[in-house]
Amino acid sequence: MALAKIVYASMTGNTEEIADIVAEKLESLGLDVDIDECTTVDAADFEDADIAIVATYTYGDGELPDEIVDFYDDLQDLDLSGKIYGVVGSGDTFYDEFCKSVDDFDAAFAKTSAEKGAENVKVDLAAEEDDIIKLEAFAEALASQAD
């Protein structure tokens, strides 16, 4: 059975909820899922997974959350060839750089030689019904790549 590893950073709980939505869908599709807050794991933990997922929020004017910066830096040094990745996250459309951290992690994963398995999903604050549909489609796309 394929293993999906989800690592998240969440200040208000919105991004943790996004990670949980993706995890629940992956589990319903028959995958094993590990989900961890970013300060409790190392980026190298992705080496043991078939699917690597980051769920992050964007802080202020496009900055990575402080608690995930080390994880982000370490991720770029990994070789994740043969792995599938995806990135989701939350932000606030009030800011010019909406969900920029999602794009930053997408670029970081690209440096690892992992294959992008689904388009990024960006959520304005908390996940609404249409966001949940997109997040579940994201999970389905990743799971289909892991077969």
Side-chain angles (χ1 to χ4, degrees):
M1 196 176 312
L3 172 64
K5 175 86 174 161
I6 303 173
V7 175
Y8 70 89
S10 188
M11 178 184 288
T12 62
N14 290 342
T15 311
E16 183 176 6
E17 179 187 14
I18 289 166
D20 288 341
I21 291 165
V22 172
E24 287 172 19
K25 186 61 178 181
L26 290 169
E27 287 171 344
S28 78
L29 295 168
L31 278 75
D32 287 328
V33 179
D34 283 343
I35 183 167
D36 292 289
E37 198 275 330
C38 65
T39 60
T40 65
V41 293
D42 295 319
D45 291 349
F46 279 148
E47 294 172 341
D48 298 327
D50 302 293
I51 300 172
I53 301 167
V54 167
T56 184
Y57 66 96
T58 299
Y59 189 76
D61 289 320
E63 292 92 40
L64 287 169
D66 288 341
E67 66 268 26
I68 205 166
V69 169
D70 288 342
F71 189 93
Y72 171 82
D73 290 341
D74 292 344
L75 174 64
Q76 297 177 72
D77 294 331
L78 297 177
D79 179 359
L80 297 178
S81 300
K83 311 287 184 192
I84 298 158
Y85 80 88
V87 186
V88 295
S90 63
D92 188 337
T93 54
F94 171 81
Y95 294 99
D96 292 337
E97 297 280 356
F98 174 65
C99 282
K100 183 176 180 294
S101 293
V102 171
D103 296 332
D104 291 343
F105 265 99
D106 190 9
F109 269 119
K111 294 178 183 178
T112 69
S113 298
E115 183 180 330
K116 186 171 183 171
E119 288 304 310
N120 300 340
V121 178
K122 299 176 179 181
V123 176
D124 186 19
L125 303 174
E128 303 284 334
E129 191 172 330
D130 52 332
D131 297 311
I132 293 170
I133 292 167
K134 290 176 187 170
L135 291 165
E136 289 179 343
F138 168 88
E140 289 171 356
L142 290 173
S144 72
Q145 304 275 327
D147 292 342

